[in-house]
Amino acid sequence: MTRLSVNINKIATLRNARGGNIPNVLEAAKNCERFGAQGITVHPRPDERHIRYQDVRNIKPVITTEFNIEGYPSDNFLQLVKEVKPHQVTMVPDSPKSLTSNQGWDTVNHKDFLKEVIKELHSEDIRTSIFIETAPELIRNASKTGTDRVELYTEPYARKYPVNKEEAIEPFIRAAELARELGLGLNAGHDLNLENLHYLKQNIPGLLEVSIGHALIADALYYGMENTIQLYLRQLI
Ligand code: PXP
């Protein structure tokens, strides 16, 4: 089974555009679960321009499925996740100013740093995942950090999919095979949508989780959140 974890950052972005509490991020998280999502993902950034640290604290007690917190493992971030204790932390190497995550970890040069962080998170019983691109060297070095899982950064797949889906998926199939051989659990995310999700799922056996935000929240504007979540779940059968 591949779990659908809905990234609700965009709900917070909309709320923050006006101040106040519309739309309500906590209600949105609960509704996503009620409509079938098997997890909730948030990505608190240092400037709190979408999900705020306090949102993260408030969400944990009201959701009943898997909670995944993504972010750069700064001291503040680590303090937050140790307090909140989500099921999973996905480490992302993005700089504070980046619009969205736009690269995976260089696990060769940051292996020791990641190892330390992962040890710290494991001591709090938090599962870890490293956001990563598909090069074999990166996957091999990820496995040396002790991480439980890797999340394949699917933006290059999504970009190429409309032009040549066979070519688009090829490096992901190889990365997934290697990750499995090394005993790493496999997640995927970024730029997944109703067009490209099913093909990814079909070609990557053992995919444990996808986290999807931008396209899913945009689709909810057209189809409604309940319908949209059901549509995404159907791509994962
Ligand atoms: N995975 C990671 C690590 C991310 O940073 C993001 C974006 O916050 C996503 C998945 C979801 O990407 P999208 O919003 O394009 O679905």
Side-chain angles (χ1 to χ4, degrees):
M1 171 191 166
T2 305
R3 299 175 87 97
L4 171 65
S5 187
V6 175
N7 179 321
I8 58 169
N9 265 39
K10 285 278 151 35
I11 308 272
T13 307
L14 191 54
R15 175 199 61 192
N16 297 350
R18 267 289 167 99
N21 201 25
I22 299 175
N24 184 313
V25 168
L26 293 187
E27 287 306 314
K30 286 196 280 184
N31 281 336
C32 287
E33 290 187 324
R34 197 155 59 81
F35 300 149
Q38 294 119 340
I40 299 294
T41 292
V42 292
H43 190 147
R45 291 181 191 269
D47 60 5
E48 301 192 284
R49 65 181 185 271
H50 14 67
I51 281 286
R52 301 179 182 133
Y53 273 39
Q54 192 54 43
D55 291 324
V56 179
R57 294 188 183 96
N58 296 343
I59 289 167
K60 174 70 195 302
V62 303
I63 63 168
T64 56
T65 60
E66 187 191 277
F67 195 25
N68 174 43
I69 306 182
E70 302 168 350
Y72 180 83
S74 63
D75 289 346
N76 284 345
F77 178 87
L78 288 172
Q79 210 178 324
L80 176 74
V81 297
K82 284 198 275 182
E83 177 194 333
V84 172
K85 293 198 194 304
H87 301 91
Q88 176 175 272
V89 165
T90 301
M91 286 157 284
V92 182
D94 52 358
S95 77
K97 290 274 177 282
S98 45
L99 201 55
T100 181
S101 307
N102 52 12
Q103 59 183 348
W105 279 97
D106 173 350
T107 52
V108 179
N109 288 310
H110 296 113
K111 187 165 60 221
D112 292 340
F113 170 67
L114 289 166
K115 227 183 199 169
E116 276 306 301
V117 172
I118 287 162
K119 204 165 116 198
E120 208 174 323
L121 294 172
H122 280 170
S123 73
E124 301 283 335
D125 277 333
I126 299 170
R127 188 171 75 225
T128 59
S129 182
I130 295 179
F131 193 51
I132 197 169
E133 287 159 47
T134 52
E137 197 56 10
L138 297 173
I139 311 270
R140 268 192 216 101
N141 277 279
S143 94
K144 292 181 188 158
T145 64
T147 191
D148 303 293
R149 295 189 186 181
V150 289
E151 177 181 325
L152 297 177
Y153 171 38
T154 46
E155 193 264 348
Y157 162 72
R159 196 164 9 92
K160 211 177 231 185
Y161 179 89
V163 185
N164 187 333
K165 62 183 179 182
E166 290 82 10
E167 262 182 33
I169 198 71
E170 218 260 328
F172 288 83
I173 293 175
R174 277 189 282 108
E177 277 166 2
L178 179 57
R180 265 195 309 279
E181 262 171 53
L182 295 166
L184 293 166
L186 209 60
N187 296 342
H190 224 286
D191 294 291
L192 296 175
N193 58 36
L194 285 174
E195 216 182 304
N196 60 33
L197 181 59
H198 186 60
Y199 191 69
L200 180 85
K201 161 72 184 172
Q202 275 184 320
N203 283 283
I204 309 286
L207 183 60
L208 296 171
E209 182 178 297
V210 287
S211 72
I212 308 184
H214 187 79
L216 188 152
I217 303 297
D219 285 335
L221 295 174
Y222 311 127
Y223 310 127
M225 186 60 95
E226 181 166 10
N227 240 333
T228 298
I229 288 180
Q230 288 298 315
L231 287 168
Y232 276 80
L233 287 172
R234 242 174 273 160
Q235 309 306 310
L236 293 169
I237 290 171

